Amino acid sequence: MTCTDLILQIKDEIDEADSIEDVLLRISKLLMENLGIYIALEHTDKLISPKGKISDKKFSIPIQTTYFSFIFTAESRDKVLEEEEIKFLKILALEIKGYLEKEDTKILRDLTFSFISKRTINELFEETLKELENLIPYTSANVGILEGDTLQYLSFLGYEKYNSDNFMRSFKMNREEFYTLDIVLQSKEPLLIEDTDKCPFWISIPETSWIKSHLMIPIPFNNEISGIISFDSDKAYAFSQEDIEKVSPILPILSVSLENARLYESLNKELEEKTNIQRKLQSSLYQVIKITSDIIELKDSYTSEHQKKVAKISVAIGREMNLPQERLTFITLCALLHDIGKIAIPSEIINKPSSLTPLEKQIMNTHSEIGYNLLKKINVLKEIAPVIYQHHERLDGSGYPLGLKDGEILPEAKIIAVADVVEAMTSHRPYRPALPLDTAIKEITEKEGTSYDPLVVEAFLEALRKGRVRL
């Protein structure tokens, strides 16, 4: 088997693998059988310079992604590694790195779902510290929100080891007293103190005298700092720039989740104040939708306006299909919330003035699942959640996130799918001007029966002919 054939087979094996250990097992077997080469992956906490060829029979190279760091080593037991085999091993290392980059994406996706599902700030911060413990080896950590010039700690972990937990419950960090906080607030950048004993502005107090290295990372929101994550270690030089890089991709998700939790707590408090249960249930539905619309408006005015237009188009389609008023009302509510999941997508992706990268597309495509997970937890909105989940599904199974087919997709989701694509194509976006209406009509008619429901497409065209849809 040639190296080219072997690479193609390895690609197939990697695609079927369910863990990095499984990847290594599958590749090792193929290399031993075909080339007599043994490979290994050694985990390392630090990025090292590429070694390349170590000896005539051994080759080593580092593989580094955001959340993984390995040393890839290949060794021939009985012969010298040829130049073609070394080139092959470099390609193989890139394939393994590609797999790990996909795992990075999964980690970010799981963190997004985990964070956005938390209703309160305390729940969110507790989950944040637990998740970050898997990424950064800290002795203790805390998360706090900024109230003026004071940092109020709301969640902390690990301080009980040094009997400092009671102290942390009442401790507040003031900007005037603690220069570390002042530095972070001024620079809006992380602060890394590798050795507190050698830091001239580190303030040592009895309750935290055991802290030997410290890392502060601000949580940004709208160019301001809404909170700070801090990590402590009882060993000097425990943290590095690599730890900052691990946390950085999470910050936009955490920032949005924090604002969502604040808004949820505000909304929940407002709902609890209502005394009439029946009136509360009825009115809360529209309050949630209104507040949700306001949230989206603050983050992305296009999405807010887009949802309103999609609702009008969807109702026009529903009327042409002779749906009863109750169904039309339900479709209106679904359409007004169909993109709510985008509140968890970083603004840099939503408003990017150029095409999205494959990773950014994957993150963007999580919005329907995020929206579903948000709404299913709210009693008055849980019936809407499945429609939100399915509005990007297509009849032939080519949609996302579940790849559902015709009979599995809800009728309301089929209606919103057509209204959504027509409105999106005919509206101005940061990365392109509005497309002609004829282009949108060509899209839905050419894919009628494969992507879009024929009854829905015909109903839209009839509503357009009657002047019931204005674009």
Side-chain angles (χ1 to χ4, degrees), residues 171 337 344 366 449:
F171 178 65
L337 293 172
T366 62

Side-chain angles (χ1 to χ4, degrees), residues 314-315 317-332 411-412 415:
S314 298
V315 169
I317 293 173
R319 286 203 173 104
E320 286 302 321
M321 298 174 70
N322 295 317
L323 298 181
Q325 184 58 45
E326 183 179 353
R327 289 279 301 283
L328 294 177
T329 300
F330 181 66
I331 290 172
T332 301
E412 294 83 359
I415 291 173

Side-chain angles (χ1 to χ4, degrees), residues 245-256:
E245 292 171 0
K246 288 179 180 179
V247 177
S248 294
I250 301 171
L251 293 177
I253 301 168
L254 181 57
S255 173
V256 172

Side-chain angles (χ1 to χ4, degrees), residues 201-220:
F201 51 80
W202 176 259
I203 298 178
S204 180
I205 52 179
E207 291 83 359
T208 58
S209 59
W210 52 271
I211 297 177
K212 299 303 177 184
S213 55
H214 185 67
L215 174 60
M216 298 176 72
I217 301 180
I219 305 171

Side-chain angles (χ1 to χ4, degrees), residues 37-175:
I37 294 177
Y38 167 79
I39 64 169
L41 278 178
E42 179 186 357
H43 183 269
T44 175
D45 291 330
K46 304 295 181 184
L47 178 63
I48 64 172
S49 300
K51 290 183 178 179
K53 190 174 180 181
I54 297 176
S55 67
D56 288 341
K57 296 182 179 180
K58 193 171 184 180
F59 173 84
S60 182
I61 190 171
I63 298 176
Q64 179 91 7
T65 68
T66 301
Y67 298 115
F68 297 95
S69 185
F70 290 100
I71 302 297
F72 171 71
T73 303
E75 184 174 5
S76 175
R77 295 296 176 85
D78 54 6
K79 66 183 182 69
V80 173
L81 288 173
E82 298 177 0
E83 189 65 30
E84 183 179 354
E85 289 174 327
I86 292 176
K87 290 180 180 178
F88 164 79
L89 291 171
K90 289 180 179 179
I91 294 173
L92 178 56
L94 289 175
E95 291 295 328
I96 295 174
K97 182 177 181 179
Y99 175 86
L100 293 173
E101 287 174 340
K102 290 180 180 178
E103 293 298 299
D104 282 350
T105 302
K106 291 179 182 178
I107 290 174
L108 281 175
R109 181 196 64 195
D110 292 343
L111 285 173
T112 297
F113 292 151
S114 177
F115 289 167
I116 204 68
S117 66
K118 302 307 173 189
R119 297 187 179 186
T120 67
I121 297 175
N122 285 333
E123 286 179 357
L124 172 64
F125 283 173
E126 287 174 7
E127 185 68 17
T128 299
L129 294 182
K130 289 177 183 177
E131 293 289 353
L132 290 178
E133 193 173 17
N134 298 323
L135 302 178
I136 299 177
Y138 60 75
T139 303
S140 64
N142 61 71
V143 192
I145 59 173
L146 204 61
E147 297 177 351
D149 288 339
T150 302
L151 187 64
Q152 174 67 56
Y153 296 111
L154 296 185
S155 186
F156 48 89
L157 195 65
Y159 292 93
E160 63 279 359
K161 179 180 178 180
Y162 288 95
N163 298 317
S164 303
D165 47 333
N166 287 332
F167 167 76
M168 289 299 297
R169 286 189 179 92
S170 58
F171 178 65
K172 294 182 180 182
M173 181 178 283
N174 188 279
R175 182 175 189 171

Side-chain angles (χ1 to χ4, degrees), residues 226-241:
S226 59
I228 293 178
I229 312 172
S230 298
F231 303 93
D232 305 307
S233 178
D234 51 11
K235 297 180 178 60
Y237 300 94
F239 307 118
S240 67
Q241 183 64 33

